[in-house]
């Protein structure tokens, strides 16, 4: 039996060795890509240093192809893009609260102020400021029409609402209007305080037109209080703003006022310079009527100096210019009487 087993050992060992060798070669030899596994990384091609780069080397890799099931699911759940013919559905239109309607044109001013407050509380800040501006326009009309109780109540309420809205421009205008109302009620101190507050608010906003308008109010108030120096200071402040803004019409107007102030103060040389500067501007603006009245101021100035012949010549030139410009006949008759020395 041992002899028979010895005969089979040699062939079995040879077969086992062949199997081990085959398995080793399978484990160490690279395999090509199959559907069951990825291919091994190929070696990069050798490119000569001066060889041009091919278009294929610069191309971006293609987008991966989505699985059919995933692509179908994405199409089913995606929000379809609207076409030109297809309007947006209500669910896709951004929601914005509707602005409440304005008060009627016959509504009291207080209703407009209250409406501005409501709009601001509801988040309509720009609309609230627009309504507040309308309310203040109506307050200005009430002040000019001498409707004091209505104007006073509305302006006091406007100050409260404008403070809540942090609307500095509205606050400045409300204080200026309260100053005008105080002047009409002979409260000069109260008017002065409101004007100064308005001026400070406008200065903080760098609102030069608001500053100029308030300077005019302060200058006139000081003139009524027989304070020519204070009046001149505010008119000169307004003049500097008009010059900076390039408002030649306003500049000429204030120059004429300053000329009359200088005449009242006895500074005739300064007055003449101011009148002539104003006349130059009015002539450039094409305002013959204003130019004619400034010529009258020069005629009065020469009469004050005792130069009667020069005064008469200037009166005649002024009357001719004013008549040509269409001045009222009553005004022309009055100036003819002044030229002839009639009271």
């Amino acid at each position: 039996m041992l002899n028979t087993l010895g005969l089979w050992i040699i062939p079995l060992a040879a077969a086992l060795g062949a199997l081990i060798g085959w398995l080793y070669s399978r484990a160490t030899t690279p395999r090509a890509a199959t559907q069951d596994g990825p291919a091994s990384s190929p070696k990069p091609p050798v490119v000569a240093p001066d060889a041009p780069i091919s278009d294929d080397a610069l191309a971006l890799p293609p987008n991966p192809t989505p699985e059919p099931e995933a692509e179908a699911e994405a199409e089913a759940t995606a929000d379809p893009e609207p076409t030109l013919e297809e309007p947006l559905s209500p669910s896709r239109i951004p929601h914005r609260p509707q602005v409440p309607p304005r008060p009627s044109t016959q509504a009291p001013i207080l209703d407009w102020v209250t409406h501005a407050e409501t709009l601001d509380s509801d988040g309509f800040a720009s609309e609230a400021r627009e309504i507040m501006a309308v309310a203040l326009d109506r307050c200005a009309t009430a002040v000019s029409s001498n409707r004091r109780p209505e104007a006073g109540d509305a302006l006091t309420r406007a100050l409260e609402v404008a403070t809540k809205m942090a609307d500095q421009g509205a606050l400045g205008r409300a204080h200026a209007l309260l100053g005008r109302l105080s002047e009409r009620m002979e409260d000069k101190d109260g008017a002065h305080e409101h004007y100064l507050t308005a001026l400070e608010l406008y200065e903080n906003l760098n609102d030069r037109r608001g500053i100029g308008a308030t300077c005019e109010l302060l200058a006139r108030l000081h003139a009524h209080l027989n304070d020519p120096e204070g009046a001149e200071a505010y008119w000169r402040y307004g003049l500097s703003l008009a010059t900076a803004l390039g408002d030649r019409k306003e500049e000429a107007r204030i120059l004429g006022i300053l000329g009359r102030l200088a005449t009242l103060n006895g500074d005739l040389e300064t007055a003449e310079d101011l009148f002539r500067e104003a006349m130059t501007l009015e002539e450039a603006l094409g305002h013959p009527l204003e130019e004619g009245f400034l010529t009258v101021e020069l005629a009065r100035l020469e009469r004050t100096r005792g130069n009667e012949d020069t005064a008469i010549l200037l009166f005649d030139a002024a009357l001719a210019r004013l008549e040509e410009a269409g001045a009222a006949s009553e005004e022309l008759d009055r100036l003819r009487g002044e030229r002839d020395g009639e009271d």
Side-chain angles (χ1 to χ4, degrees):
M1 182 177 182
L2 290 174
N3 292 334
T4 303
L5 183 61
L7 293 174
W8 286 97
I9 288 175
I10 293 174
L12 287 173
L16 183 60
L19 178 61
I20 293 173
W22 180 79
L23 292 173
Y24 178 79
S25 66
R26 292 280 293 178
T28 58
T29 302
R31 293 180 295 168
T34 65
Q35 294 182 352
D36 298 331
S40 60
S41 301
K43 293 183 179 181
V46 178
V47 180
D50 297 330
I53 300 176
S54 66
D55 293 337
D56 293 338
L58 296 176
L60 294 174
N63 293 325
T65 303
E67 294 293 332
E69 295 82 359
E71 186 174 12
E73 182 180 355
E75 291 179 357
T77 57
D79 193 8
E81 291 293 330
T83 63
L84 292 177
E85 295 79 11
E86 178 189 358
L88 288 173
S89 62
S91 61
R92 300 180 63 186
I93 299 176
H95 177 67
R96 187 176 188 271
Q98 187 175 2
V99 180
R102 291 184 171 202
S104 68
T105 54
Q106 293 80 22
I109 303 174
L110 279 173
D111 288 0
W112 288 82
V113 177
T114 302
H115 187 56
E117 182 180 28
T118 302
L119 288 172
D120 186 67
S121 301
D122 291 345
F124 299 102
S126 61
E127 290 84 353
R129 293 192 174 211
E130 180 183 349
I131 293 299
M132 178 59 76
V134 174
L136 291 174
D137 286 343
R138 291 170 176 262
C139 287
T141 302
V143 171
S144 300
S145 303
N146 209 26
R147 303 197 317 260
R148 298 177 186 178
E150 182 185 6
D153 293 344
L155 286 169
T156 302
R157 181 79 175 110
L159 283 180
E160 298 173 0
V161 175
T163 301
K164 290 173 60 178
M165 294 169 53
D167 189 346
Q168 301 299 304
L171 278 172
R173 192 176 179 200
H175 275 291
L177 287 171
L178 280 168
R180 287 177 55 193
L181 185 63
S182 297
E183 273 199 88
R184 286 178 173 270
M185 298 173 67
E186 300 300 325
D187 182 6
K188 306 298 184 184
D189 291 337
H192 192 259
E193 183 177 350
H194 281 299
Y195 290 153
L196 289 178
T197 303
L199 182 62
E200 183 179 2
L201 287 164
Y202 284 133
E203 286 176 336
N204 291 338
L205 291 171
N206 196 27
D207 182 348
R208 289 190 283 188
R209 293 199 179 278
I211 295 170
T214 310
C215 283
E216 177 74 17
L217 293 170
L218 280 163
R220 290 179 178 276
L221 178 62
H222 279 270
H224 292 159
L225 294 173
N226 295 319
D227 179 15
E229 292 181 358
E232 182 179 358
Y234 282 112
W235 265 314
R236 287 197 175 276
Y237 190 1
L239 177 64
S240 67
L241 292 168
T243 303
L245 289 169
D247 190 345
R248 298 294 175 254
K249 182 178 180 180
E250 180 68 6
E251 189 177 354
R253 186 187 70 83
I254 298 176
L255 284 169
I257 292 172
L258 290 172
R260 286 187 283 276
L261 272 179
T263 302
L264 291 174
N265 292 332
D267 189 353
L268 303 185
E269 294 296 328
T270 299
E272 182 178 1
D273 291 341
L274 291 166
F275 287 140
R276 293 194 180 279
E277 187 177 355
M279 284 179 64
T280 300
L281 287 173
E282 297 291 10
E283 183 180 7
L285 290 169
H287 295 163
L289 197 65
E290 289 79 1
E291 189 181 354
F293 284 118
L294 287 167
T295 306
V296 171
E297 296 291 352
L298 287 174
R300 291 167 178 164
L301 193 69
E302 292 301 327
R303 179 165 282 173
T304 303
R305 286 171 169 166
N307 301 327
E308 187 63 22
D309 292 342
T310 304
I312 295 295
L313 289 174
L314 287 170
F315 269 117
D316 289 341
L319 285 165
R321 189 171 285 112
L322 289 170
E323 187 172 5
E324 183 181 357
S329 58
E330 296 82 0
E331 184 68 23
L332 292 172
D333 291 340
R334 187 186 64 79
L335 289 173
R336 289 189 185 99
E338 183 178 351
R339 170 195 179 278
D340 296 336
E342 299 176 1
D343 293 336

